[in-house]
Amino acid sequence: MLSNTCKYALRALIYLAKFSKEEKMIGIKKISEDLKLSSPFLGKILQNLVKQKLLVSTKGPNGGFALAKSSGEITLWDIVTKVDGEEFFTNCLIRLDPCHTHDSEKPLCPVHAQYEKLRNEIANFYQGTTLEIVGKDIEKYEDLVKL
């Protein structure tokens, strides 16, 4: 399950991919108002994404945030792994430890084989889905608020 922080990050980057124009940053106030998210919390998330090199930012009256690469180059995988880490794609469904740390002397969890297949399909989806692809179905920022 993705954290709320990760979900906010996804929504904000989809928003930026869809509504920021080349060489024009969008301010945190505008993003938080349009997405109806807490400005301080969203600001921390976006600053982290700047450190992770998914966003760029500038300060000042014309400052704000923009994607560091084109929307066709940033995948959902990039965002999720930068915010939540790879645990979403590696953790066991039942046990607390990731499957790759499994002790070969002990039995695998009862759903390991079925869940591993599903987990791989989910990872492939996230790796193959870009912000550009997601943004195609978004017409206006109100569509993101409904998510």
Side-chain angles (χ1 to χ4, degrees):
M1 184 142 112
L2 298 176
S3 68
N4 284 343
T5 300
C6 191
K7 291 176 186 179
Y8 289 174
L10 286 165
R11 288 171 60 190
L13 267 73
I14 293 166
Y15 174 92
L16 287 168
K18 188 67 180 179
F19 302 108
S20 68
K21 304 295 180 221
E22 206 168 304
E23 296 183 28
K24 184 174 186 290
M25 305 252 174
I26 300 178
I28 186 68
K29 185 177 178 186
K30 172 86 170 130
I31 300 168
S32 64
E33 285 175 2
D34 286 352
L35 295 179
K36 303 202 182 325
L37 299 173
S38 162
S39 185
F41 185 50
L42 183 60
K44 288 179 185 179
I45 294 168
L46 297 183
Q47 283 301 329
N48 179 49
L49 294 172
V50 169
K51 289 177 189 169
Q52 299 290 335
K53 309 236 186 284
L54 289 176
L55 294 178
V56 292
S57 69
T58 57
K59 294 181 181 180
N62 295 319
F65 295 89
L67 298 178
K69 306 180 217 176
S70 77
S71 61
E73 295 178 281
I74 300 174
T75 65
L76 299 181
W77 174 273
D78 296 330
I79 302 163
V80 171
T81 57
K82 298 282 192 241
V83 176
D84 279 355
E86 291 191 18
E87 290 79 22
F88 178 71
F89 304 103
T90 61
N91 279 352
C92 179
L93 183 65
I94 296 173
R95 295 193 178 163
L96 300 178
D97 299 323
C99 291
H100 70 271
T101 64
H102 176 259
D103 180 353
S104 60
E105 308 254 331
K106 296 180 181 177
L108 291 167
C109 82
V111 295
H112 178 81
Q114 297 93 328
Y115 190 62
E116 182 175 39
K117 180 181 174 192
L118 178 60
R119 192 174 47 224
N120 289 336
E121 289 175 15
I122 291 170
N124 288 336
F125 167 77
Y126 278 78
Q127 290 168 348
T129 304
T130 64
L131 291 175
E132 181 179 39
I133 292 168
V134 176
K136 286 183 180 177
D137 291 333
I138 305 292
E139 305 237 351
K140 50 192 182 294
Y141 61 81
E142 289 90 353
D143 294 339
L144 286 168
V145 174
K146 296 175 189 174
L147 297 177

